[in-house]
């Protein structure tokens, strides 16, 4: 069923790192059922995900279980999930069309951005009168979103795992935020960027960087 016409879109970030490859089927299905209930209840138009499972498992546990699934998605596999999670962005195809962004060249030049395991897409509204609002601490909104001009760049970013030293985790987050600032500068600050993430840094670090 098509999404209702609305004056705002609803982003949702899902930290699914509790779903592990070696988790029991019972545990995985229990977590998946809770997440499925959340997605059905919130009815997000944009979903950012950080996870340790393969894309096929994510499809099986979530997207294929959504009645009349209206989401398209982009999934990026991390080269090392013990260090940084896989990422994914999904969007309601009744609300948005999308242009994927290839972050690989930048990731090779600037590895401390951790873009090698990050996902980014430009979303173009099919209903240009909507507005984005978020108050979730796992989501960052950079740039003013003007009604009637709501094209938004969405990034799903995973910081380094808590097993990595805190100084390194902070450095990677700070470098990533600097990249986002430069990315906007190159586009004359016209980009509105929505970041959903598993940041793995202290809230004070996020506040200082922003």
């Amino acid at each position: 069923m098509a999404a209702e016409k609305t004056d705002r879109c609803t982003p949702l970030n899902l930290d699914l790192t509790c779903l592990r490859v070696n988790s029991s089927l019972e545990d995985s299905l229990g977590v998946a059922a809770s997440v499925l209930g959340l997605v059905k209840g919130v009815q997000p138009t944009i979903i950012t995900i950080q996870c340790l499972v393969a894309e096929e498992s994510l499809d099986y546990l979530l997207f294929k279980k959504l009645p009349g699934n209206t989401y398209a998605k982009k999934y990026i596999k991390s080269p090392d999930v013990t260090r940084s999670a896989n990422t994914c962005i999904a969007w309601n195809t009744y609300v948005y069309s999308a242009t994927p962004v290839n972050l690989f060249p930048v990731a090779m030049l600037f590895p401390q951005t951790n873009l090698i395991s990050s996902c980014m897409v430009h979303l173009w509204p099919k209903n240009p009168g909507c507005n984005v609002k978020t108050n979730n601490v796992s989501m960052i909104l950079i740039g003013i979103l003007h009604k009637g001009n709501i094209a938004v760049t969405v990034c799903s970013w995973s910081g380094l795992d808590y097993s990595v030293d805190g100084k390194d985790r902070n450095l990677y987050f700070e470098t990533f935020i600097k990249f986002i600032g430069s990315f906007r500068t190159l586009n004359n600050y016209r980009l509105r960027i929505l970041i959903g993430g598993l940041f793995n840094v202290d809230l004070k670090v996020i506040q200082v960087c922003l």
Side-chain angles (χ1 to χ4, degrees), residues 25-51:
L25 180 61
E26 183 179 356
D27 288 344
S28 295
L29 292 177
V31 172
S34 298
V35 172
L36 186 62
L38 176 63
V39 172
K40 286 180 178 178
V42 174
Q43 297 184 351
T45 50
I46 302 170
I47 306 174
T48 52
I49 299 171
Q50 302 81 45
C51 63

Side-chain angles (χ1 to χ4, degrees), residues 19 32 40 45 59 64 68 80 102 110 115 130 141 144 147 152 158 170 197-199 202:
L19 289 172
K40 286 180 178 178
T45 50
D59 284 340
K64 288 185 177 179
D80 183 1
N102 181 13
F110 305 104
L115 294 176
C130 59
L141 182 60
I144 298 172
K147 188 168 182 178
V152 61
S158 176
N170 291 347
L198 181 62
F199 303 128
D202 191 274

Side-chain angles (χ1 to χ4, degrees), residues 62-75:
L62 177 59
F63 291 107
K64 288 185 177 179
K65 288 183 166 54
L66 289 170
N69 179 23
T70 60
Y71 292 100
K73 72 179 189 315
K74 178 177 173 63
Y75 176 98

Side-chain angles (χ1 to χ4, degrees), residues 23-167:
S23 297
S24 70
L25 180 61
E26 183 179 356
D27 288 344
S28 295
L29 292 177
V31 172
S34 298
V35 172
L36 186 62
L38 176 63
V39 172
K40 286 180 178 178
V42 174
Q43 297 184 351
T45 50
I46 302 170
I47 306 174
T48 52
I49 299 171
Q50 302 81 45
C51 63
L52 303 179
V53 297
E55 183 175 9
E56 295 78 11
S57 298
L58 188 61
D59 284 340
Y60 173 76
L61 293 169
L62 177 59
F63 291 107
K64 288 185 177 179
K65 288 183 166 54
L66 289 170
N69 179 23
T70 60
Y71 292 100
K73 72 179 189 315
K74 178 177 173 63
Y75 176 98
I76 296 294
K77 182 179 179 181
S78 170
D80 183 1
V81 292
T82 64
R83 183 173 172 83
S84 183
N86 309 311
T87 58
C88 178
I89 298 170
W91 57 93
N92 188 313
T93 55
Y94 284 101
V95 179
Y96 292 107
S97 58
T99 304
V101 179
N102 181 13
L103 294 173
F104 185 77
V106 181
M108 293 296 96
L109 285 173
F110 305 104
Q112 289 179 330
T113 57
N114 211 35
L115 294 176
I116 192 66
S117 60
S118 301
C119 186
M120 181 181 281
V121 296
H122 298 305
L123 295 182
W124 313 99
K126 296 180 178 179
N127 170 30
C130 59
N131 215 346
V132 171
K133 295 182 181 178
T134 176
N135 56 8
N136 192 314
V137 293
S138 64
M139 303 199 84
I140 298 172
L141 182 60
I142 299 176
I144 298 172
L145 295 172
H146 300 284
K147 188 168 182 178
N149 183 17
I150 194 62
V152 61
T153 298
V154 181
C155 183
S156 179
W157 187 82
S158 176
L160 299 181
D161 188 81
Y162 273 114
S163 61
V164 179
D165 183 78
K167 289 182 179 179

Side-chain angles (χ1 to χ4, degrees), residues 140-143 152-153 155 180 183-184 191-195:
I140 298 172
L141 182 60
I142 299 176
V152 61
T153 298
C155 183
I180 292 295
F183 192 61
R184 290 191 70 229
L191 289 180
R192 273 72 59 181
I193 301 180
L194 179 69
I195 305 166

